[in-house]
Amino acid sequence: MRQGGAEVYVTQVSAAEDTEVRGEQLARQVETILASTGADSVNLIGHSHGGPTVRYVAAVRPDLVASVTSVGAPHKG
């Protein structure tokens, strides 16, 4: 979906898993998005438990991530 000039992808991860499991799920989805678009990296936005999830991906796969934004996350993001 295109929003304001940016290509926006909505991902889904397990609601009841821990951050590591969710982060690995998200990393796989990001890899798929990058492969299909030819982009070099993504800007990740996470809300609530999505905050630690996107931070996990940025920590373990920094090559995939251009920026991280978290809103209302447990780490006060």
Side-chain angles (χ1 to χ4, degrees):
M1 163 178 30
R2 189 164 287 284
Q3 284 289 88
E7 192 74 22
V8 177
Y9 293 85
V10 179
T11 59
Q12 281 195 287
V13 296
S14 299
E17 292 290 348
D18 64 25
T19 300
E20 182 178 358
V21 170
R22 291 165 50 95
E24 291 297 327
Q25 292 172 347
L26 180 58
R28 286 192 299 276
Q29 291 175 59
V30 168
E31 289 170 342
T32 300
I33 291 166
L34 292 175
S36 69
T37 64
D40 294 326
S41 59
V42 296
N43 300 298
L44 295 175
I45 302 170
H47 173 258
S48 191
H49 192 182
T53 303
V54 297
R55 289 168 51 103
Y56 175 90
V57 175
V60 299
R61 291 300 309 273
D63 56 309
L64 303 178
V65 181
S67 70
V68 170
T69 302
S70 60
V71 180
H75 60 273
K76 306 212 187 298

